[in-house]
Amino acid sequence: MFKKYFAFLLPALAVLAACPAQALPTAPVYTYRNNQKNFLTQKLVNKEPITYCIYLSKSAREITNLQDFEDTLKLSIKLWMINTAQFIRLSGQEKELAPLLAVLEKEPNLQRLPECNFAPYKKGNLQDLDFPPSGKKVPVADLSVFFEDRFFAHMHGQEAIYPFFSLVPAPHLVLPTKYLNINPADETLFGEQARQFISARKQLLQTPNYDTKQIKPLFMEMLKAMQPFGNQRRNLVYGLQHELGHAFGLADQLPSVDNGDLLLGTVQPRRGIMDNFTTFLSCDDADGLVIVLQKALNLTNQRFTSFCQDGITFSDGMEKLSAPKQRVIPSKGGTTTRTYYPQTATNGIYLMEKSEYVNTESEESTRKIYYLFDFSRFPKGKGGFQKQRGKMKILDPNDPENRVPVGEHVTEITLGAGPQHRQTLKENYDDNGKLLSYTLEIYDEEVLTDTRAKTF
Ligand SMILES: [Zn+2]
C-alpha cells in the first residue's frame, strides 16, 4: 500500500524537491459563514447543477480562448476531485469515507451560462471591460470566472490586483492576466510540451472520475506535461486550482496567514496548493477537501486519518490532540503563538502568546499598544516590545471573530534600551470574556513608580 502511495506521489515530489520540505493546515476559509449553504461543496454533495460563466478580457484572449479556458477550468475542478479520491483510496480509507468517494467519483454537473452578469458588482465601472455585457438579462452564475485586469481592480480601488475568490456579492473568481500569464496549453510558446498538456487534459476530461484505472496513468501524463512549468505561480492551471480551493471552502495556508481561531484542519500548517506552494494537490489539500465535504454531508463526527501519514487524525473536522500542540504565526515585527490542548476541541480554550515590536515615535505608530497602558507616562520616540499572554476562548468555531479572553491575562511593554520604561498589566476576565479587574504597574528605570488597580 505504501509503495503504491509513494509511486503516485513521486513526480509531484520531484517538482517540489527544490523547495524546503515543511508540513500545512486546512482551515476552511472563514468568510464561508456567509452564503455557505449554496456554495460549491454543498452543490457537489447535493449533485445539483453548478452554473458558471466566463469573461475573458482582450489581454486574456491573447493568452487563451473560451474553449481552452473552459477546458482548463473543468480540468482544475476534476483535479481536485480525482486527486482527493486517489488519496482516500491509497490511504485505505475507502470504506470509512465511502459517501465522500461517491461524491468525488461522480461527474460534477457543470453548466456554462452564455455570459457573466455584471449587475451584482455595482461599484464596478462597465467601461473597464473590453467586451461589455450584451444588455440581455442573464442569470447570475453559481460561479463567475473573470480573467481580466481592470474591472475588479478598479472596483477595489486598485490599479492591479492578485487573483482572488470572493462570495460577496456573488461567488466570483478573478484571475488578472498580469499575474497569471502562463498557459501550459499555449502551443506557440510551448510547442510539444503544450501539445502533451492538451492531450492529457482532453483524455482526463473524457474519463469518468470513477475510472481509476484510466485516471492514474493519465494523471501521470499530466504531471509530466506540467513539469517544465514547475510550481510557477503564473501558471493558469495552478491559479485556477488554488482559487477553486477557496470556492470549495478552503482558506489560504501560508504560515503567516491567521485564519482566525478556527479549530478546523490541522494546528500546524503543511504545504500544498492552498499556500501557493505546489502546482498539484498535496495530502494537506486533500485533507481539507475531505473536511469540507464531511461538513456538507453532515458527517463531521466521522474520524479519518490524514493523508499526509504524519500520525494526525481528524474528528469533527479538527485535528485530534493527545498532547498540547503549538502553532506559531509570524507577522511583521513579531509572532503569535497559540497552544492548543486536547480539551480545546470541547471547551474552545487555548493559550495565546503574542510578542511584537512597538514604538512611540508617532501617534500612528502607537496604535498597536494596548489601550489600558498609561500613554501619558511613555517616553517619546522609543521602541520596544509588547508581550501578551493569556487564555482565549472560542465561542463559535465557525466564526473566528467570536473569541474572548478568559482568566488572567498579563501584558507587558518595555520601551527603550538601557534605563527602561516598563508597564505591566494584569487583567482578570470571567468565562464570557467580561473584564472583572485589572492592576497596572508602572516602572521607570526599573523602579516601580506607580500602581493602579480597578475592579468593575
Ligand atoms: Zn488564496
Side-chain angles (χ1 to χ4, degrees), residues 174-193:
V174 178
L175 306 169
T177 69
K178 276 200 185 109
Y179 196 80
L180 287 158
N181 50 18
I182 294 177
N183 179 2
D186 190 333
E187 286 181 71
T188 12
L189 278 180
F190 304 117
E192 186 49 32
Q193 206 61 50

Side-chain angles (χ1 to χ4, degrees), residues 198-425:
I198 293 168
S199 153
R201 178 179 69 185
K202 189 176 170 199
Q203 293 179 74
L204 267 174
L205 288 179
Q206 284 167 353
T207 311
N209 286 2
Y210 63 79
D211 191 350
T212 50
K213 272 216 178 81
Q214 287 297 320
I215 290 270
K216 213 173 130 183
L218 287 173
F219 178 68
M220 302 300 270
E221 254 177 62
M222 173 59 67
L223 279 178
K224 230 172 82 192
M226 289 277 286
Q227 216 146 19
F229 306 105
N231 67 344
Q232 291 204 52
R233 296 178 189 165
R234 293 181 174 275
N235 187 322
L236 203 50
V237 179
Y238 156 73
L240 275 166
Q241 281 196 104
H242 177 92
E243 299 310 324
L244 281 165
H246 291 314
F248 284 124
L250 302 176
D252 280 320
Q253 300 301 324
L254 299 167
S256 58
V257 168
D258 182 352
N259 290 321
D261 293 303
L262 288 183
L263 276 176
L264 295 162
T266 49
V267 169
Q268 191 116 254
R270 296 177 292 175
R271 311 243 72 156
I273 208 157
M274 294 318 291
D275 83 330
N276 297 346
F277 189 76
T278 64
T279 310
F280 287 100
L281 224 69
S282 75
C283 50
D284 184 69
D285 298 312
D287 280 351
L289 190 60
V290 164
I291 288 170
V292 289
L293 282 171
Q294 281 185 328
K295 208 174 158 200
L297 283 161
N298 286 321
L299 291 172
T300 44
N301 56 351
Q302 210 179 45
R303 263 178 185 243
F304 78 98
T305 307
S306 167
F307 307 121
C308 296
Q309 302 188 323
D310 48 9
I312 289 175
T313 57
F314 296 98
S315 173
D316 279 322
M318 301 174 211
E319 179 179 347
K320 269 219 119 16
L321 300 177
S322 53
K325 192 168 176 179
Q326 280 189 344
R327 161 130 201 230
V328 181
I329 302 150
S331 62
K332 226 174 153 191
T335 53
T336 301
T337 305
R338 296 200 193 118
T339 308
Y340 296 88
Y341 304 92
Q343 61 271 29
T344 304
T346 42
N347 65 14
I349 295 172
Y350 67 91
L351 178 69
M352 186 264 308
E353 285 159 288
K354 201 173 169 180
S355 169
E356 65 183 337
Y357 177 79
V358 293
N359 70 61
T360 58
E361 262 135 44
S362 68
E363 209 170 298
E364 155 118 49
S365 67
T366 58
R367 223 173 260 167
K368 283 181 183 169
I369 298 175
Y370 199 60
Y371 76 105
L372 283 176
F373 286 131
D374 186 347
F375 281 64
S376 70
R377 300 285 297 267
F378 284 152
K380 297 266 174 309
K382 291 270 189 273
F385 278 86
Q386 173 170 275
K387 287 177 183 171
Q388 252 180 303
R389 184 186 156 93
K391 285 184 173 161
M392 300 293 290
K393 185 175 173 183
I394 301 157
L395 299 177
D396 175 2
N398 286 311
D399 182 355
E401 272 124 64
N402 206 345
R403 61 181 175 210
V404 293
V406 293
E408 188 182 73
H409 274 240
V410 179
T411 310
E412 187 168 77
I413 190 166
T414 311
L415 295 168
Q420 291 174 329
H421 176 85
R422 181 154 60 96
Q423 294 190 21
T424 305
L425 179 77

Side-chain angles (χ1 to χ4, degrees), residues 103-235:
V103 172
L104 296 168
E105 288 182 345
K106 197 162 153 60
E107 300 317 297
N109 184 355
L110 300 170
Q111 298 175 7
R112 187 167 70 82
L113 300 179
E115 60 181 310
C116 292
N117 184 335
F118 285 86
Y121 313 100
K122 287 198 177 69
K123 277 192 284 169
N125 182 354
L126 293 182
Q127 277 167 355
D128 283 330
L129 301 174
D130 289 320
F131 305 91
S134 70
K136 280 181 298 178
K137 259 210 156 175
V138 287
V140 178
D142 293 325
L143 179 64
S144 302
V145 185
F146 303 97
F147 195 17
E148 71 90 37
D149 299 78
R150 286 200 303 260
F151 183 78
F152 287 95
H154 290 172
M155 196 169 86
H156 292 278
Q158 274 156 347
E159 271 313 299
I161 39 166
Y162 287 113
F164 71 89
F165 171 80
S166 171
L167 282 165
V168 186
H172 64 289
L173 196 160
V174 178
L175 306 169
T177 69
K178 276 200 185 109
Y179 196 80
L180 287 158
N181 50 18
I182 294 177
N183 179 2
D186 190 333
E187 286 181 71
T188 12
L189 278 180
F190 304 117
E192 186 49 32
Q193 206 61 50
R195 283 187 280 281
Q196 277 176 26
F197 169 80
I198 293 168
S199 153
R201 178 179 69 185
K202 189 176 170 199
Q203 293 179 74
L204 267 174
L205 288 179
Q206 284 167 353
T207 311
N209 286 2
Y210 63 79
D211 191 350
T212 50
K213 272 216 178 81
Q214 287 297 320
I215 290 270
K216 213 173 130 183
L218 287 173
F219 178 68
M220 302 300 270
E221 254 177 62
M222 173 59 67
L223 279 178
K224 230 172 82 192
M226 289 277 286
Q227 216 146 19
F229 306 105
N231 67 344
Q232 291 204 52
R233 296 178 189 165
R234 293 181 174 275
N235 187 322

